[in-house]
Amino acid sequence: MSEYRRQLAQSVASILLFCLISCPPVWAEAVTTAIASADLKRIFAGEAPASLTELRTMEQHQRQLCAKVVDCTVGIVIGSSHGSGVIISADGYVLTAAHVAGAPNRRANVILPNGKTVSGRSLGMYRTLDAGLMKIDSGGPWPFAELAKDGELKVGQWCLATGHPGGFEEGRSPVVRIGRVLLKDKFAITTDCTLVGGDSGGPLFDMEGRVIGINSRIGRFLTTNMHVPIAAYVESWERLVASEAWGNLPGRGPYLGVQGEPNATDAKISHVFPGGPAAKAGIRVGDVIVKFNSQSVSDFASLQTCVSDSQPGERATIELLRGSERVQLKLEIGERDR
């Protein structure tokens, strides 16, 4: 099969599968019989279904999967912001997007699929990758989803996104979108599972019902949808549970306004940009920065790391050496022009 025909077959399959899930089939018994013979694993790994029987078998599997994943998909309301999330433990830990949570230790309403609202709070967030963690205050055990293992995700595999597009609506269960993984790297998963406002923070599942990512944002087209890789949560779990917040939200670049001495082994400043945050705070050429907030700064690269883990608009305390004098300054992190 040519590449064009393969892509066409997969696109047609996506449309047919959406229709099959939206409309209850009259052939349910025949589908049940066909499940044993169809190679779902091969299809869900990225191959196009080769027959109507395989499409019907996919539909049956998807219907069963939807019932499972919808149970642990929640709506989230923090202040005037609406988003989604997914419960990933019996004691009520909830994965969401950092831009939904906003900041650590904020009170939140977590809306269960049956419409019941329980209280919770935001914990930590890795803003650069848009990863946020929350916790339901009490109760349980809660229905929860398993996390996929890092490295199992493949480009081309089928996936399923849930969430509350437009925000939670009474009487409407979490909405399901089916698609495929288009791209992946350590920063984002891209799929053609169409997302809109309110879906942010909702889960992206593989065909076994395991969470592979969290809905983050939309690209230039409705078929280009970005999700936070699950590894962002697993690798930063302790910091997230400890309610740490670091990094900057996608599209916002933190800016200090200094250059380092090229051959220096420390964070010695060789240039201060006029009008920048450093200049406004009083940092001078020749100063050696030794601390950024509570973190030690050993060289200019470590200073850059500290700044990149900050959010524009945040206040920072800078400690520096000016000759034999130790000076402490406060400044507001700026935002780099894009």
Side-chain angles (χ1 to χ4, degrees):
M1 182 182 291
S2 69
E3 179 64 17
Y4 171 77
R5 288 186 177 182
R6 184 185 69 79
Q7 292 181 354
L8 180 61
Q10 289 180 323
S11 298
V12 171
S14 296
I15 296 170
L16 285 173
L17 188 56
F18 176 80
C19 295
L20 286 167
I21 289 177
S22 300
C23 305
V26 297
W27 48 71
E29 290 184 9
V31 169
T32 303
T33 304
I35 289 176
S37 61
D39 188 355
L40 282 180
K41 188 173 183 180
R42 168 182 57 81
I43 296 169
F44 288 143
E47 291 191 26
S51 67
L52 188 57
T53 297
E54 289 188 344
L55 275 174
R56 289 171 176 171
T57 306
M58 291 173 70
E59 183 265 348
Q60 178 74 2
H61 180 88
Q62 295 280 9
R63 288 173 67 85
Q64 294 170 351
L65 182 61
C66 288
K68 174 184 175 183
V69 301
V70 160
D71 279 348
C72 52
T73 301
V74 297
I76 293 173
V77 180
I78 298 182
S80 60
S81 299
H82 292 251
S84 303
V86 58
I87 305 173
I88 52 98
S89 69
D91 57 348
Y93 279 104
V94 177
L95 302 188
T96 188
H99 76 267
V100 171
N105 299 311
R106 297 182 70 190
R107 304 309 307 171
N109 287 327
V110 179
I111 309 173
L112 305 177
N114 63 5
K116 179 182 178 181
T117 298
V118 295
S119 64
R121 64 186 177 92
S122 58
L123 299 176
M125 55 202 65
Y126 182 8
R127 291 175 296 216
T128 303
L129 297 191
D130 203 18
L133 182 66
M134 302 183 65
K135 182 74 163 57
I136 297 174
D137 286 334
S138 59
W142 304 102
F144 66 94
E146 229 182 289
L147 303 184
K149 293 180 181 178
D150 189 27
E152 292 181 338
L153 185 67
K154 305 296 180 186
V155 171
Q157 76 175 60
W158 291 78
C159 54
L160 182 154
T162 64
H164 292 281
F168 177 84
E169 288 186 15
E170 189 172 351
R172 183 190 72 177
S173 63
V175 178
V176 176
R177 271 64 48 90
I178 296 167
R180 288 171 297 140
V181 175
L182 306 179
L183 298 167
K184 71 179 184 75
D185 57 32
K186 70 176 184 177
F187 301 105
I189 300 167
T190 304
T191 77
D192 54 7
C193 297
T194 302
L195 304 177
V196 300
D199 282 318
S200 294
L204 180 70
F205 296 97
D206 64 14
M207 290 298 103
E208 294 183 37
R210 300 173 302 186
V211 182
I212 57 176
I214 295 296
N215 305 335
S216 176
R217 59 200 184 278
I218 302 167
R220 292 182 59 190
F221 307 102
L222 284 176
T223 53
T224 306
N225 305 279
M226 316 294 283
H227 314 261
V228 186
I230 203 63
Y233 298 87
V234 175
E235 294 171 2
S236 305
W237 184 256
E238 290 184 4
R239 297 184 72 179
L240 293 171
V241 171
S243 296
E244 291 186 41
W246 71 101
N248 55 92
L249 290 175
R252 301 193 70 193
Y255 174 66
L256 195 59
V258 294
Q259 285 182 341
E261 186 71 49
N263 299 319
T265 57
D266 51 21
K268 187 174 184 178
I269 304 304
S270 63
H271 182 72
V272 179
F273 290 92
K280 291 177 181 178
I283 294 176
R284 305 174 188 171
V285 171
D287 288 345
V288 178
I289 297 178
V290 293
K291 263 192 178 181
F292 184 95
N293 289 329
S294 59
Q295 300 179 60
S296 295
V297 174
S298 57
D299 52 24
F300 196 75
S302 67
L303 174 62
Q304 290 176 310
T305 299
C306 291
V307 174
S308 67
D309 280 348
S310 304
Q311 179 78 348
E314 285 184 349
R315 300 286 297 178
T317 300
I318 304 291
E319 195 170 304
L320 56 84
L321 296 177
R322 183 172 291 161
S324 59
E325 184 184 5
R326 187 174 286 263
V327 178
Q328 192 175 86
L329 302 171
K330 294 185 182 296
L331 55 77
E332 182 177 306
I333 303 296
E335 183 170 359
R336 188 182 302 279
D337 293 333
R338 295 275 174 160

